[in-house]
Amino acid sequence: MQNIFIRRLVSIVLLCVWAVTIFCFSAQNADKSSDTSEGIVEKIISVTYPEFDELSTGEQVKTIDITTLIVRKLAHFLEYFILGALAFLTAINFDNTRSKLNALISIGFCVLYSITDEVHQYFVPGRACRFVDVCIDASGSALAVVILAVIIYKSSKKRGEPNAKKEVN
């Protein structure tokens, strides 16, 4: 019984810590957020595009802009992929028999959190509230939940658990 309590507590704490981490990234003003992205973009370009310095200034700007867009949207996706995984793991720690319901609740939680996060960004100087980011966030969390649900189902089936079919229902 104590083991279950500890698992539940740890999953809730990790979920909350990650939600706060996302909030902190969103609370960065546009300049701070851009600086973070620019540092990552510079590293990516230096590793993947050795002839970058030989490009014209216009081509360099275009390459930086495209790479920045990809990095920023991928960051959204990955932040919510992790949030989705943590939400689903937390849900199944409380009820391991209703995976579909747990999946829907987890994805719903992530979408609601994404919406509140975008509204929060609206009030941060230089940041914006974007529907496309909510869609990207939802995709990331949904993919994490689906991957985990499949892994859990396949592992329980492999172990020959009688409730293996039940766990995905």
Side-chain angles (χ1 to χ4, degrees):
M1 191 62 137
Q2 186 178 7
N3 188 24
I4 293 169
F5 173 77
I6 291 171
R7 272 199 335 243
R8 288 175 178 173
L9 180 64
V10 167
S11 66
I12 289 171
V13 168
L14 289 173
L15 179 63
C16 290
V17 165
W18 192 250
V20 168
T21 300
I22 292 171
F23 180 88
C24 290
F25 279 125
S26 296
Q28 293 177 340
N29 65 32
D31 291 337
K32 176 72 174 152
S33 180
S34 292
D35 288 346
T36 302
S37 296
E38 286 173 16
I40 293 168
V41 167
E42 285 176 15
K43 287 185 186 350
I44 289 171
I45 288 175
S46 70
V47 169
T48 62
Y49 207 158
E51 61 275 356
F52 177 78
D53 292 334
E54 299 166 17
L55 297 174
S56 69
T57 304
E59 290 174 332
Q60 286 181 350
V61 168
K62 186 177 177 182
T63 301
I64 290 170
D65 288 348
I66 290 169
T67 307
T68 300
L69 178 67
I70 292 168
V71 164
R72 292 181 75 85
K73 299 311 170 189
L74 187 58
H76 269 273
F77 185 87
L78 292 174
E79 284 176 342
Y80 280 84
F81 183 93
I82 294 168
L83 188 70
L86 292 172
F88 187 63
L89 292 173
T90 299
I92 63 174
N93 271 321
F94 283 89
D95 182 3
N96 196 21
T97 62
R98 299 181 178 181
S99 286
K100 283 184 183 176
L101 180 60
N102 289 335
L104 291 174
I105 289 169
S106 300
I107 294 167
F109 166 79
C110 291
V111 169
L112 286 174
Y113 192 80
S114 175
I115 291 167
T116 62
D117 188 49
E118 288 300 315
V119 170
H120 165 231
Q121 284 184 49
Y122 179 78
F123 296 100
V124 176
R127 301 294 294 271
C129 176
R130 300 185 198 279
F131 177 72
V132 70
D133 288 343
V134 173
C135 294
I136 292 167
D137 299 344
S139 299
S141 60
L143 181 62
V145 168
V146 167
I147 289 171
L148 281 174
V150 168
I151 290 169
I152 290 167
Y153 173 73
K154 288 194 181 266
S155 67
S156 64
K157 197 172 178 183
K158 210 179 231 183
R159 288 191 307 260
E161 293 179 8
N163 292 338
K165 189 170 189 152
K166 228 183 184 182
E167 291 209 18
V168 174
N169 291 330

